[in-house]
Amino acid sequence: DAGITQSPRYKITETGRQVTLMCHQTWSHSYMFWYRQDLGHGLRLIYYSAAADITDKGEVPDGYVVSRSKTENFPLTLESATRSQTSVYFCASSTIDRGRDGELFFGEGSRLTVL
Amino acid sequence: DAKTTQPPSMDCAEGRAANLPCNHSTISGNEYVYWYRQIHSQGPQYIIHGLKNNETNEMASLIITEDRKSSTLILPHATLRDTAVYYCIVSGPGGGADGLTFGKGTHLIIQP
């Protein structure tokens, strides 16, 4: 199916474990983003990527690692999960490179609980 | 620093027009105004954006004042499914190239 998909949708893990959240888009958008959303903080940008092998930090990158070996995939890894990383994570891709300004397409979110 | 100011919540009757205000008094000449909404638990959804002129699409209309210091998103015939948090965002050209900054938004509640 075309679009942007995230997996897993729900994940429970323990403190100290490594967790990878996957994001896949079928539009060949150059730009991809990871946001987290917590009560009281709204959506905050973690990392973004302008193209394969190009990534950059957002507002709250500490504790996260990203990679982008293929245009369509943008995984987010928590190398050693902490309770403060309990959140809903949203992946997005953008049409910026198609001449349209700033329209982000979001996935359905991955709800992560760290015990 | 917040670039936009929105009321935290608003009510609107079903079938009526919902008018959501946004102040962006420090907007620069090349910055766009974007509107997104987030229905409970879902990812945000793009609605509309504009630079100077008023814009309309199948979802909404965007009215930007002449001095560009404020704007209004209009949902012409609100339905219960329009209940959501609406975000007004100001960003430069190529707007989302380094990510859009989402504030707290306005929680719009459509009343039956």
Side-chain angles (χ1 to χ4, degrees):
Chain A
D1 289 344
I4 184 164
T5 55
Q6 295 183 229
S7 62
R9 295 289 312 283
Y10 302 91
K11 176 74 177 179
I12 300 174
T13 190
E14 295 178 338
T15 300
R17 290 192 179 268
Q18 183 178 77
V19 176
T20 296
L21 306 179
M22 303 300 295
C23 180
H24 176 79
Q25 52 104 354
T26 60
W27 294 304
S28 298
H29 289 166
S30 289
Y31 286 83
M32 296 187 74
F33 308 83
W34 274 107
Y35 287 85
R36 61 178 289 176
Q37 185 169 36
D38 309 291
L39 283 174
H41 286 284
L43 283 149
R44 292 182 291 174
L45 182 65
I46 305 171
Y47 268 96
Y48 64 101
S49 170
D53 297 322
I54 301 174
T55 62
D56 214 338
K57 296 178 180 178
E59 180 186 354
V60 289
D62 293 344
Y64 303 95
V65 175
V66 293
S67 61
R68 185 115 180 259
S69 58
K70 293 184 177 181
T71 299
E72 61 266 31
N73 297 325
F74 191 36
L76 177 73
T77 298
L78 290 67
E79 292 193 309
S80 179
T82 65
R83 294 185 65 182
S84 65
Q85 292 177 309
T86 293
S87 187
V88 181
Y89 292 85
F90 289 101
C91 179
S93 68
S94 181
T95 59
I96 296 167
D97 57 338
R98 302 290 169 85
R100 298 179 63 180
D101 293 307
E103 179 174 349
L104 300 183
F105 294 87
F106 283 82
E108 296 184 342
S110 294
R111 185 177 296 273
L112 176 67
T113 300
V114 182
L115 302 176
Chain B
D1 294 338
K3 282 192 168 185
T4 64
T5 304
Q6 299 178 254
S9 64
M10 293 181 61
D11 287 348
C12 178
E14 188 177 17
R16 304 295 293 268
N19 297 277
L20 291 90
C22 180
N23 288 322
H24 31 79
S25 58
T26 61
I27 190 170
S28 300
N30 64 349
E31 289 185 312
Y32 288 75
V33 179
Y34 298 90
W35 283 85
Y36 282 74
R37 73 180 182 183
Q38 186 174 23
I39 297 170
H40 180 63
S41 298
Q42 298 180 17
Q45 176 190 23
Y46 166 85
I47 301 173
I48 198 167
H49 76 280
L51 182 63
K52 295 181 183 178
N53 301 321
N54 298 337
E55 302 287 345
T56 296
N57 63 21
E58 65 278 4
M59 289 183 68
S61 294
L62 173 60
I63 308 297
I64 302 174
T65 58
E66 191 167 346
D67 64 7
R68 303 210 320 125
K69 292 185 177 181
S70 66
S71 60
T72 300
L73 179 74
I74 301 172
L75 307 178
H77 304 287
T79 70
L80 297 178
R81 287 175 294 181
D82 291 322
T83 292
V85 177
Y86 287 77
Y87 299 98
C88 171
I89 302 165
V90 166
S91 188
D98 53 357
L100 295 176
T101 300
F102 289 78
K104 299 254 174 100
T106 295
H107 187 195
L108 176 66
I109 300 171
I110 306 301
Q111 305 282 1

